[in-house]
Amino acid sequence: MEYGRYLGQKSESGKFNVWIKATGKLPDDPAIHQCVLAYASDMSLLNTALVPHGRSLFEKEFMGASLDHALWLHRPFRADDWLLYAQESPSMTGSRGFARGLIFRRDGGLVASVAQEGLVRISRKGG
């Protein structure tokens, strides 16, 4: 994990990589693995829109809301094995952030593509 991201470190490229996996062994049913990945794909993607600014949606003053989220599944995978989630945000303007991601198995096979647009702004409460 790129810990500096949560310590205010900026990345001009807008890229952020994280390894993900389910916390326990899952049944062999591929639909369960797909559902787990769909849920996990939404957990950090919109936050990537703030990477170039050295900020995070985990800061109390920010409010974020997903406007849309799409997931394309390309090949079989197990959500209880390590997956690399390579995320980037090419645009953050007018309080709208756009982010996309590619999810890879450990052997390098691309298993899914993700795209999300969301509202990102400072909360009226100000933290």
Side-chain angles (χ1 to χ4, degrees), residues 20-21 35-45 69 85 103:
I20 60 174
K21 77 173 199 153
C35 289
V36 168
L37 186 64
Y39 178 80
S41 72
D42 189 44
M43 299 204 48
S44 63
L45 190 58
H69 183 98
Y85 194 3
I103 302 173

Side-chain angles (χ1 to χ4, degrees), residues 74-77 83-84 102-112:
H74 306 303
R75 56 185 47 88
F77 63 92
L83 298 166
L84 177 64
L102 299 173
I103 302 173
F104 300 91
R105 291 186 310 228
R106 287 191 291 165
D107 68 3
L110 177 65
V111 300

Side-chain angles (χ1 to χ4, degrees), residues 19-27 32-37 39-40 43 77-83:
W19 287 93
I20 60 174
K21 77 173 199 153
T23 58
K25 178 109 171 95
L26 298 173
I32 292 175
H33 293 266
Q34 293 168 355
C35 289
V36 168
L37 186 64
Y39 178 80
M43 299 204 48
F77 63 92
R78 290 196 62 94
D80 54 4
D81 193 7
W82 287 109
L83 298 166

Side-chain angles (χ1 to χ4, degrees), residues 42 46 64-70 94-97 115-120:
D42 189 44
L46 185 56
S66 179
L67 299 175
D68 56 54
H69 183 98
S95 296
R96 290 173 76 126
Q116 183 175 31
E117 184 180 31
L119 176 68
V120 179

